[in-house]
Amino acid sequence: MALEKSTRLMIIIAISFSFFVGEISVGFYTHSLALVADAFHYMNDLVGFIVALVATQISKRENSPKELSFGWQRAQLLGAFFNGVFLLALGVSIFLQSVERFISLQKVENPMLVLIMGCVGLTLNIISAAFLHEHDHGPKVSSTGTISDDSNMELSDTNHPHKDHRHINSTQTPPGRDLGLLGVMIHVISDAINNLGVILSSAIIWKLRSPSRYYADPSCALFIALMILLSSLPLVSSSGRILLESVPLGVSLDDIKHDLEKVSGVLSIHELHAWRLSQHKALASAHVLVGSESLSDFMRMAGEINECLHAYGIHSTTLQPELVGGSASASKRVRERVGAGAGRRGRGRGCRVNCGMECEELSCCG
């Protein structure tokens, strides 16, 4: 039986804390910058792991805090972002220390003890990586971009409402690996590479007799710093783009606008926005210019619009109707009646426009 994400994180926290205490002690005792750098990396890991654990626990809450609305679902993503920022700061710090050690070389005492700690650290990181490995990367997203198998079969029909829509041939980009655990996995993998560097540098200092052998230690620390910097940049970039509410991966706003304006009764679409709330959930909003004051006509249009957005992987939508040639009071009545339906949707019942039962997990108000 697979362990839960929170259980795996707690195991990793216990392993990392135990090794950090031992490694920092040996690092200061032997004057090994590489070992001290690796120990501080473990300390940073502890902070990152705890942030990931807290974010995971918060994201599992059924009821969102009133002050956060549905933004609480970004807790794990925010944890991943801070995890990456911590890594960047640590990489810069170790880089500067290694440059200083090149200028003022210091001897490493008892390199065999450093070698032993490197081997122990490598073993623990292999165990940690085994606990973190997962095959399930989150909700499955259709790779074809079609509405459903049944509707796709009907696309050859010239009267099909979506026959001219671009989402028929679109391909959604998978959300990828969970960024919360990805941040933790990057920590563990970079730690393992760091341990290999510590093992190599300590072996060189132990076996060689040249005075220049002590340069192996700051060289290893410099390598650790570069590895940390290179591994943290993709994490910061991926999580940062989602926090900045970027358009869902593989989705073009021009294609969405094209498809929505093909819906019968829709005259034009403006103020169209689509963004990612988290790795797996996307939202959209739009102003819909229509010519009919009938609520039933608009709800029919909204249903087709929702099907189009569903094909793009967007499952929560806010639509504002705007009437052509209609009075302001008529437009207000439509918005109020549609808004009342949205209010019922927020309570999980009475929703007039939805994707279906299979999409409840991807809906922000489900």
Side-chain angles (χ1 to χ4, degrees), residues 329-366:
S329 59
S331 179
K332 181 180 179 181
R333 286 197 302 272
V334 174
R335 287 198 298 269
E336 287 177 347
R337 296 177 69 182
V338 173
R344 290 194 298 272
R345 179 182 182 183
R347 294 190 294 271
R349 63 179 186 274
C351 183
R352 297 287 300 276
V353 180
N354 52 46
C355 299
M357 296 292 291
E358 70 278 5
C359 300
E360 284 187 351
E361 292 184 358
L362 295 173
S363 178
C364 298
C365 58

Side-chain angles (χ1 to χ4, degrees), residues 12 53 75 157 199 225 281 300 311 326:
I12 302 307
L53 177 61
D157 186 355
I199 292 171
K281 295 185 180 181
R300 189 266 310 163

Side-chain angles (χ1 to χ4, degrees), residues 200-270:
L200 179 61
S201 64
S202 59
I204 292 174
I205 296 173
W206 183 23
K207 294 298 182 181
L208 296 183
R209 290 295 175 264
S210 171
S212 61
R213 68 184 185 276
Y214 293 110
Y215 283 108
D217 186 65
S219 298
C220 176
L222 183 62
F223 171 75
I224 291 174
L226 294 176
M227 286 299 302
I228 292 174
L229 291 172
L230 291 176
S231 63
S232 60
L233 286 174
L235 179 62
V236 173
S237 175
S238 298
S239 56
R241 281 199 299 267
I242 300 178
L243 290 174
L244 290 174
E245 299 184 346
S246 62
V247 175
L249 296 176
V251 173
S252 167
L253 287 179
D254 290 336
D255 289 344
I256 295 178
K257 187 174 187 295
H258 170 273
D259 290 356
L260 300 191
E261 290 181 343
K262 290 289 185 179
V263 173
S264 175
V266 175
L267 302 181
S268 69
I269 297 290
H270 58 279

Side-chain angles (χ1 to χ4, degrees), residues 103-121:
I103 299 173
S104 179
L105 189 62
Q106 188 171 0
K107 293 183 178 180
V108 175
E109 306 292 340
N110 201 343
M112 184 177 67
L113 185 57
V114 177
L115 177 63
I116 293 174
M117 290 302 299
C119 293
V120 173

